[in-house]
Amino acid sequence: MEECLNIASSIEALSTLDSVTLMYPFFYRPMFEIVEDGWRSFMPDQEFELLSSVTDEWRLSCINKEFSVCPSYPPVVIVPKSIDDEALRKVAMFRHGSRFPVLSYYHKKNGMVMMRSSQPLTGTNGRRCKEDEKLINATLRPGKRGYIIDTRSLNVAQQARAKGGGFEQEAHYPQWRRIHKCIERFNILQESLIKLVEACNDQSHNMDRWLSKLEASNWLTHIKEILTAACLAAQCIDREGASVLVHGTEGTDSTLQVTSLAQIILDPRCRTICGFESLVVREWLQAGHPFQQRCAQSAYSNSKQKWEAPVFLLFLDCVWQILRQFPCSFEFNEQFLIMLFEHAYASQFGTFLGNNESERSKLKLPQKTMSLWSWVNRSEELSKFQNPLFEANSLVIWPSVAPQSLQLWEGVFLRWNRPSKFLDEAQEEMISIIKYNKELQAKVNALRRQLAEMETDDRMQENL
Amino acid sequence: MEHIRTTKVEQVKLLDRFSTSNKSLTGTLYLTATHLLFIDSSQRETWILHHHIAAVEKLPLTTSGCPLVIQCKNFRIVHFVVPRERDCHDIYNSLLQLSRTAKYEELYAFSYNPKQNESEQVKGWQLIDLAEEYKRMGVPNANWQLSDANRDYKICETYPRELYVPRTASKPIIVGSSKFRSKGRFPVLSYYHKNKEAAICRCSQPLSGFSARCLEDEHMLQAISKANPSNRYMYVMDTRPKLNAMANRAAGKGYENEDNYSNIRFQFVGIENIHVMRSSLQKLLEVSGTKGLSVNDFLSGLENSGWLRHIKAVLDAAVFLVKAIAVESASVLVHCSDGWDRTSQVCSLGALLLDSYYRTIKGFMVLIEKDWISFGHKFSDRCGQLDGDPKEISPVFTQFLECVWNLTEQFPQAFEYNEAFLLQIHEHVHSCQFGNFLGNCQKEREELKLKEKTYSLWPFLLEEQKKYQNPLYNPDFFPGLSLLEPNTVSFNFKFWRNMYHQFDRSMHPRQSVFNLIMTMSEQNKQLEEEIKELEAKIKRRSGQSAAVLVKEHQQPAHPAPTALKTPPCFKKEQPLIPVNDAVRTIEGSNTADNRYSEFVEEFSKSEPAVVSLEYGVARMTC
């Protein structure tokens, strides 16, 4: 009994370490050869290089080099060329947590962009900031209008003014139309996850209880809200031909869900393995989603940690929903998403440690820990995450958000509760059919070529 | 046809079912003797069989015309707007008449002519031979025999002529037992399990009232239990909820008293009756048909409809039955009230779980012929084939198909057939295009001379069986009499979107893995053929030509060094088999598609204020 208690308290202590530097990534020594250092795989300047090959309206700003302007931003950010660093400093003062609007996505098809930021600090007396207006207007084509997607309800946004926050007033931003799309945050999401996991662990056979618990968890409602907001952003850009600014309060949670999912919908590159990794790095890690706070104890957090919330898991779930509807358009498979979910919560790699780039650089993670990408991007690992059905699809993919089209992500939530032997075997059978198909195609091609050659040889001989 | 006044109406709009704006297709509506046909401006055709129409409704006149809503038994719902009220009224009246047939002879099957000659027609009807099926199961044998008691339908009108009973059940026992059972449906063999020597038997409820008993019936049950040498105990499963069964006692019916029958174990399994099922489906369809449905309304609607609860109850009952046979080697007698609804569901699902033959395409046809058609599931009444009592209509067979679909989801490799097969059968159960499902029992079918006047569905399905084959099927996976043990914890049961929304394409995945794999495995067969041909050709040629070439063709997979010489004809290689591309095409993602505005609707739903953009095609909430 005593031993059991000892073990229990040890586990308790070890699973809730206070100091990041005591965590596993700092002690983990890889047993594999590093081909490419994942810490250097996705650098902002590479991203900018790609951008500058299609447009010269943007520039790379090093204003945040020492994390002095915005602690949750990376050292370099992409901003409109016409806005200088001095103006950026002023805009930073006007935005919550200094998160001034930066480029999130450039839509090559029509040159429209998606930016993200935090809420403007208008307060109750309607403060304005000329530089802020100038900055976001700089992204508009002459005579065109843009959309501001506020991920809070109008009510919540209005209440934020009392605390110094707020939203863009029509009067000061006449070229922008504001749309409120409420996405829930923090403890509401956390409670939703706890309820969902509880429902999934209930092995009782009662159908009504299962359905009402699933409903009460609200998880799929959150999925629908997030997907809908992301579709809206994508729609404004692709179909309306308008630029978009997305923000909520801090711009580190729902904002990132919307901007990253919109890119999955719009940009075929984000549906490749490398492109998706790059998306996670850009839109989540570098963009300052506080992983350490959000992904601590998952559904079993009993200490009611105020900052815990499954924001990233919801994002992955939304990606899975789109993947299910477009099973041939993604280079990666469900396992890849599950792997990311696991590593976001507990990992031997340093990638998801810390809350932003500034903390990561203080912890010297790139020097002291291994990057997840160094491990994943080796061909042995990659092969596990490849979708055999993948065929590059350059189109924009519009998912259905009808409740009949959304499903519980069984691979995550029912993973330990249902036998998956038969499903796994069916999956393997499917892969072998695809492989066999490729082999046969190659063989037929080879034989055809051989035959044709024989024919030409014969003809040549005849001619001789 | 005297019912048709207007045969053609132009400028008719077909509205999108889930669209909140008035997105529509314009086209021409044609009314034929058998179908309603809509051809839109891009020449796409929508055919609706009159027999599929469950309800026609004329809505109040709007500025754009007169709306006509047609609900079909295959869950298609179409919403037309006819410009002139007079036309709409004519079509409405015609459809009302045409969709309500008074006599069997007016059903489509009697006029349907698939260009088969007489011998093909006869052969088609002989495709499924139930005597052959009982032989396959292993009867007649030492314990079971064919009884001629019902040869002239004298004992039970709703049973088939040929019935299998225990050898020890003499004619007086059969006659006596049948008099003690509702509608004369006495206990007979439905499935015989060779390895366990155990049987699934079926019957209707006993006319026991509060205290009546019948020695012959008691002997009948005893004969069944004695026919099983491995276990003298037998289960009697009453598939009704206990309350219902008890209520029946007041009407002189009821259930077996364990004290009067030796060696039986009596068990209620609680599947609700046809009326509960009918209203459950109605509620389900109401929910799933709601425009701008929220996730929570959907889930609570799903819960309140009770539909999945009923599906689970049916499958749970089958699992109970199968356990008795597989684990205890005990025979099971299944009944409900009349023994043609719930009993058919449970017996057929039980056999499907026990015997892999029923998981093949042909075997599934046999199963339906045996437990549903021959044992008198009242297809005509339950599907409302003729204009009759609407209270007799009930989705009992649909539930059976849904249970099978759930099993195919849990065991993706155990079934030779796919979802499309189940959907197609469902389609034709209601279409009245083939004779199989017409009428309520075999006697009625013989009187209608269906085998001469109509065609059987099965040969047509077999002919196009490529469409219905599951590419992942592996017959060695669960061979012979290997048992399927489904998990029936609630979360395994899902809403069957492809059934209830089969015509609402916008809700389906845009790319279907299943179709892709199906085409691929089809393509693999073609490729194998082609490889054979090519190899033969090469062999022939190399036989003729110099020995140098022989070397080369021994490594046909690596022709790299010769690639430089490739003659121009090689361009053909690229689109090896173009089918592939068609499957991969993404529905609704090209520029011509309309999903865009649909999205805007999705967005605008939850918001109270809808403001039009001055320059936009779109309406968004601001």
Side-chain angles (χ1 to χ4, degrees):
Chain A
M1 180 68 185
E2 204 189 319
E3 279 179 9
C4 178
L5 285 176
N6 281 341
I7 290 173
S9 58
S10 300
I11 292 175
E12 176 83 40
L14 288 170
S15 62
T16 51
L17 292 171
D18 288 329
S19 167
V20 179
T21 51
L22 292 176
M23 287 179 150
Y24 188 23
F26 285 89
F27 305 100
Y28 174 75
R29 288 295 160 261
M31 305 290 283
F32 56 86
E33 196 191 341
I34 297 154
V35 186
E36 189 193 338
D37 182 7
W39 288 115
R40 312 194 52 82
S41 293
F42 306 101
M43 304 303 272
D45 25 329
Q46 292 164 359
E47 199 58 38
F48 183 71
E49 225 167 274
L50 279 175
L51 178 69
S52 43
S53 66
V54 284
T55 171
D56 60 353
E57 292 164 359
W58 298 83
R59 71 184 181 92
L60 212 51
S61 165
C62 300
I63 183 176
N64 202 35
K65 202 161 189 181
E66 310 293 329
F67 305 105
S68 51
V69 174
C70 173
S72 62
Y73 267 175
V76 285
V77 289
I78 302 174
V79 293
K81 202 171 204 172
S82 55
I83 306 298
D84 60 27
D85 282 359
E86 211 31 59
L88 288 181
R89 254 179 262 278
K90 284 189 182 144
V91 178
M93 309 266 282
F94 181 65
R95 292 277 171 176
H96 190 121
S98 309
R99 294 174 67 92
F100 53 88
V102 294
L103 181 76
S104 162
Y105 172 67
Y106 180 87
H107 196 45
K108 274 186 218 148
K109 191 170 133 193
N110 58 10
M112 293 302 136
V113 296
M114 180 161 57
M115 288 181 301
R116 54 177 159 74
S117 68
S118 59
Q119 64 175 345
L121 302 173
T122 55
T124 36
N125 46 14
R127 255 181 73 202
R128 61 187 288 193
C129 168
K130 281 268 163 42
E131 288 79 7
D132 188 79
E133 294 158 23
K134 200 178 152 210
L135 168 61
I136 74 163
N137 285 338
T139 67
L140 292 177
R141 293 282 148 83
K144 280 277 200 173
R145 300 178 55 158
Y147 290 93
I148 295 171
I149 296 177
D150 193 323
T151 60
R152 304 163 293 181
S153 69
L154 180 60
N155 232 340
V156 173
Q158 277 166 343
Q159 281 162 10
R161 288 191 296 199
K163 291 184 207 150
F167 51 85
E168 293 81 356
Q169 300 284 340
E170 283 86 354
H172 303 154
Y173 298 84
Q175 285 164 283
W176 294 81
R177 190 163 286 267
R178 211 177 58 249
I179 304 174
H180 289 275
K181 275 280 141 199
C182 177
I183 296 176
E184 295 295 347
R185 317 166 59 222
F186 298 131
N187 60 330
I188 293 181
L189 298 183
Q190 184 59 17
E191 270 165 34
S192 171
L193 176 65
I194 292 172
K195 280 186 192 160
L196 177 69
V197 170
E198 203 263 323
C200 292
N201 287 340
D202 181 355
Q203 291 277 336
S204 84
H205 275 252
N206 189 310
M207 180 64 74
D208 291 355
R209 192 151 93 195
W210 158 247
L211 287 174
S212 71
K213 277 185 166 184
L214 183 61
E215 180 199 342
S217 80
N218 276 324
W219 184 265
L220 288 169
T221 301
H222 299 313
I223 296 286
K224 186 174 153 90
E225 280 168 0
I226 296 165
L227 271 177
T228 307
C231 288
L232 178 67
Q235 193 183 325
C236 292
I237 294 171
D238 187 66
R239 299 290 168 102
E240 280 292 314
S243 285
V244 170
L245 169 68
V246 184
H247 70 72
T249 306
E250 289 97 346
T252 54
D253 295 284
S254 54
T255 305
L256 305 181
Q257 289 173 328
V258 173
T259 57
S260 52
L261 283 167
Q263 291 180 57
I264 300 261
I265 294 167
L266 293 169
D267 186 359
R269 196 170 61 106
C270 295
R271 301 173 218 142
T272 64
I273 291 182
C274 179
F276 190 77
E277 288 172 0
S278 159
L279 181 77
V280 169
V281 172
R282 263 185 294 129
E283 291 297 303
W284 291 88
L285 292 162
Q286 291 173 353
H289 174 67
F291 276 98
Q292 186 131 337
Q293 289 177 347
R294 299 289 183 265
C295 306
Q297 303 289 312
S298 180
Y300 302 103
S301 132
N302 45 13
S303 50
K304 284 249 167 190
Q305 287 199 344
K306 204 181 157 196
W307 305 114
E308 175 94 41
V311 179
F312 187 63
L313 175 57
L314 276 163
F315 158 70
L316 293 175
D317 196 334
C318 289
V319 176
W320 178 79
Q321 304 283 350
I322 306 176
L323 170 64
R324 264 195 69 260
Q325 296 188 26
F326 295 88
C328 308
S329 301
F330 289 80
E331 193 191 4
F332 50 86
N333 59 16
E334 178 179 4
Q335 292 311 315
F336 183 67
L337 297 174
I338 296 175
M339 179 275 294
L340 287 176
F341 154 65
E342 288 187 325
H343 282 283
Y345 279 86
S347 175
Q348 64 270 47
F349 303 106
T351 300
F352 290 107
L353 291 184
N355 289 310
N356 48 51
E357 291 292 279
S358 155
E359 285 188 26
R360 280 177 206 116
S361 96
K362 276 187 203 119
L363 289 166
K364 297 203 167 57
L365 290 179
Q367 292 82 38
K368 293 188 170 166
T369 72
M370 178 65 52
S371 161
L372 172 65
W373 316 122
S374 308
W375 171 70
V376 172
N377 288 338
R378 294 169 317 128
S379 53
E380 306 96 286
E381 294 306 321
L382 277 181
S383 64
K384 290 184 214 156
F385 301 129
Q386 264 151 0
N387 174 8
L389 295 167
F390 176 59
E391 194 151 278
N393 164 18
S394 59
L395 298 170
V396 176
I397 53 176
W398 300 108
S400 161
V401 294
Q404 292 96 322
S405 305
L406 301 178
Q407 276 201 354
L408 179 68
W409 191 5
E410 297 182 8
V412 164
F413 298 110
L414 297 178
R415 201 172 167 194
W416 314 112
N417 303 332
R418 76 172 175 169
S420 64
K421 180 172 164 266
F422 300 123
L423 303 178
D424 294 344
E425 280 170 349
Q427 184 73 20
E428 272 167 36
E429 174 65 20
M430 203 179 82
I431 293 171
S432 74
I433 290 177
I434 298 166
K435 269 196 190 143
Y436 187 49
N437 184 267
K438 283 187 184 141
E439 280 167 26
L440 288 177
Q441 297 229 15
K443 195 164 180 195
V444 165
N445 279 341
L447 287 174
R448 279 187 187 173
R449 202 172 299 149
Q450 194 187 345
L451 188 66
E453 248 157 56
M454 289 172 123
E455 280 167 1
T456 39
D457 282 356
D458 285 359
R459 243 176 277 136
M460 275 160 65
Q461 288 198 338
E462 274 165 36
N463 291 343
L464 286 174
Chain B
M1 292 283 286
E2 71 270 32
H3 302 308
I4 301 178
R5 274 223 204 125
T6 309
T7 54
K8 181 178 171 187
V9 187
E10 279 169 353
Q11 291 297 311
V12 173
K13 283 195 197 119
L14 175 63
L15 300 189
D16 185 302
R17 180 177 170 199
F18 290 99
S19 149
T20 44
S21 68
N22 288 334
K23 202 182 85 183
S24 64
L25 294 166
T26 305
T28 308
L29 198 60
Y30 298 90
L31 197 56
T32 76
T34 54
H35 289 85
L36 181 69
L37 167 62
F38 178 77
I39 303 180
D40 68 23
S41 48
S42 48
Q43 299 305 311
R44 260 181 313 193
E45 298 174 0
T46 307
W47 290 84
I48 295 167
L49 189 63
H50 296 327
H51 295 318
H52 269 148
I53 296 175
V56 200
E57 201 185 347
K58 230 174 69 177
L59 301 182
L61 199 67
T62 67
T63 44
S64 53
C66 191
L68 190 68
V69 180
I70 299 170
Q71 290 178 45
C72 299
K73 291 171 184 171
N74 56 6
F75 309 116
R76 187 201 281 276
I77 295 181
V78 284
H79 194 148
F80 290 118
V81 177
V82 183
R84 291 198 317 166
E85 199 190 355
R86 220 194 119 74
D87 290 334
C88 183
H89 191 72
D90 281 350
I91 290 183
Y92 172 75
N93 279 333
S94 303
L95 288 180
L96 271 189
Q97 300 296 329
L98 292 165
S99 64
R100 289 180 191 164
T101 314
K103 281 190 298 196
Y104 281 117
E105 284 79 2
E106 290 169 8
L107 291 174
Y108 186 31
F110 287 88
S111 59
Y112 174 64
N113 187 354
K115 288 177 194 147
Q116 267 192 354
N117 61 34
E118 219 169 280
S119 78
E120 282 174 312
Q121 184 180 19
V122 172
K123 247 168 112 189
W125 281 111
Q126 286 164 346
L127 187 71
I128 307 293
D129 179 354
L130 290 185
E132 205 46 51
E133 167 59 9
Y134 284 99
K135 229 185 264 169
R136 189 195 65 86
M137 290 180 205
V139 286
N141 59 23
N143 295 311
W144 294 87
Q145 66 177 3
L146 178 66
S147 158
D148 60 1
N150 201 41
R151 192 186 282 158
D152 305 312
Y153 297 116
K154 281 214 176 105
I155 293 181
C156 176
E157 293 202 331
T158 57
Y159 266 171
R161 287 176 193 271
E162 301 192 331
L163 293 167
Y164 292 81
V165 293
R167 274 198 194 276
T168 53
S170 63
K171 186 132 187 212
I173 290 180
I174 292 175
V175 173
S177 170
S178 78
K179 286 193 174 134
F180 188 63
R181 293 277 168 179
S182 180
K183 308 277 194 315
R185 294 170 68 91
F186 62 97
V188 295
L189 182 75
S190 159
Y191 177 76
Y192 178 76
H193 195 284
K194 246 188 273 181
N195 296 359
K196 304 279 180 188
E197 296 177 284
I200 302 177
C201 295
R202 54 184 295 168
C203 62
S204 61
Q205 63 183 337
L207 305 174
S208 53
F210 289 100
S211 59
R213 53 189 290 189
C214 165
L215 284 177
E216 288 92 341
D217 193 62
E218 289 160 24
H219 278 136
M220 186 76 202
L221 264 64
Q222 213 165 11
I224 293 173
S225 69
K226 275 187 186 156
N228 180 350
S230 3
N231 193 338
R232 285 279 174 244
Y233 271 97
M234 70 180 277
Y235 282 90
V236 175
M237 273 175 79
D238 189 328
T239 55
R240 299 169 292 182
K242 190 174 179 182
L243 266 178
N244 300 19
M246 283 169 73
N248 263 300
R249 290 204 297 196
K253 300 165 191 169
Y255 53 94
E256 291 81 357
N257 183 342
E258 265 182 311
D259 299 338
N260 298 340
Y261 295 83
S262 47
N263 301 336
I264 72 161
R265 287 187 189 126
F266 186 85
Q267 177 75 35
F268 287 111
V269 289
I271 302 173
E272 298 289 349
N273 64 26
I274 57 165
H275 310 294
V276 175
M277 300 308 190
R278 182 179 54 247
S279 75
S280 170
L281 178 62
Q282 223 151 24
K283 283 183 203 156
L284 179 81
L285 294 178
E286 260 166 47
V287 173
S288 68
T290 311
K291 281 180 186 176
L293 188 61
S294 77
V295 172
N296 281 354
D297 286 348
F298 175 63
L299 289 174
S300 67
L302 199 56
E303 181 193 337
N304 292 334
S305 77
W307 183 256
L308 291 180
R309 193 178 69 224
H310 300 315
I311 298 292
K312 178 172 152 51
V314 173
L315 201 55
D316 272 332
V319 168
F320 179 88
L321 181 157
V322 161
K323 275 198 180 135
I325 290 188
V327 179
E328 299 180 47
S329 300
S331 290
V332 185
L333 175 65
V334 184
H335 73 72
C336 45
S337 297
D338 289 322
W340 50 44
D341 293 309
R342 290 167 269 200
T343 302
S344 295
Q345 289 178 328
V346 175
C347 289
S348 55
L349 283 170
L352 184 87
L353 292 173
L354 286 168
D355 192 335
S356 65
Y357 177 62
Y358 301 124
R359 296 171 223 141
T360 63
I361 289 182
K362 177 88 184 288
F364 195 63
M365 297 172 177
V366 169
L367 186 66
I368 292 173
E369 279 285 344
K370 176 169 71 75
D371 272 311
W372 293 87
I373 296 175
S374 88
F375 278 118
H377 171 67
K378 303 203 287 174
F379 276 107
S380 178
D381 288 359
R382 296 291 175 261
C383 303
Q385 291 172 352
L386 299 183
D387 194 16
D389 184 359
K391 286 209 173 86
E392 279 287 309
I393 296 175
S394 186
V396 177
F397 187 72
T398 308
Q399 288 182 320
F400 162 68
L401 292 177
E402 185 160 336
C403 287
V404 177
W405 172 75
N406 269 297
L407 292 172
T408 62
E409 288 282 291
Q410 273 195 46
F411 303 98
Q413 294 188 267
F415 292 81
E416 190 191 6
Y417 41 89
N418 60 22
E419 188 180 41
F421 186 59
L422 302 176
L423 293 176
Q424 187 70 348
I425 291 174
H426 182 262
E427 177 91 4
H428 284 299
V429 163
H430 292 96
S431 72
C432 302
Q433 185 175 351
F434 297 94
N436 309 61
F437 303 105
L438 300 192
N440 286 320
C441 60
Q442 294 296 58
K443 183 167 180 261
E444 202 173 3
R445 290 186 191 106
E446 285 174 20
E447 284 162 6
L448 288 167
K449 298 200 169 58
L450 291 180
K451 290 193 178 178
E452 292 144 55
K453 295 184 174 167
T454 70
Y455 295 84
S456 166
L457 167 67
W458 310 126
F460 292 89
L461 292 186
L462 273 186
E463 205 166 281
E464 41 179 32
Q465 65 170 309
K466 263 184 200 163
K467 278 201 246 169
Y468 308 125
Q469 263 161 358
N470 171 12
L472 302 179
Y473 174 56
N474 184 350
D476 306 327
F477 212 62
F478 295 96
L481 294 178
S482 57
L483 178 70
L484 286 193
E485 293 175 274
N487 182 340
T488 60
V489 177
S490 302
F491 53 62
N492 291 291
F493 294 86
K494 280 170 217 126
F495 173 72
W496 194 4
R497 186 195 54 219
N498 289 0
M499 171 66 96
Y500 303 105
H501 288 294
Q502 56 180 309
F503 297 98
D504 305 310
R505 302 305 301 180
S506 67
M507 279 183 191
H508 293 226
R510 305 276 120 188
Q511 298 166 320
S512 158
V513 176
F514 200 81
N515 289 346
L516 190 73
I517 297 295
M518 220 153 84
T519 349
M520 261 194 194
S521 57
E522 190 51 40
Q523 194 189 35
N524 283 356
K525 282 180 208 150
Q526 291 172 21
L527 288 170
E528 279 169 356
E529 283 298 308
E530 196 178 345
I531 287 176
K532 262 188 222 154
E533 264 171 48
L534 286 170
E535 278 176 341
K537 270 188 201 165
I538 289 173
K539 215 173 186 177
R540 241 180 291 136
R541 270 186 179 275
S542 55
Q544 297 160 4
S545 56
V548 199
L549 284 166
V550 179
K551 236 184 200 170
E552 204 175 45
H553 106 254
Q554 278 167 347
Q555 311 155 306
H558 303 285
T562 54
L564 284 174
K565 292 191 275 174
T566 311
C569 64
F570 276 38
K571 278 182 189 139
K572 267 191 226 152
E573 256 175 37
Q574 300 307 333
L576 204 51
I577 291 181
V579 200
N580 219 348
D581 300 330
V583 178
R584 288 193 194 255
T585 309
I586 296 168
E587 221 181 291
S589 284
N590 54 18
T591 38
D593 96 80
N594 289 312
R595 287 197 55 73
Y596 167 49
S597 44
E598 242 176 74
F599 270 110
V600 184
E601 290 149 27
E602 297 280 9
F603 304 138
S604 50
K605 269 162 209 163
S606 50
E607 303 276 340
V610 181
V611 181
S612 291
L613 287 177
E614 45 273 50
Y615 58 84
V617 206
R619 293 150 75 225
M620 278 187 202
T621 53
C622 300

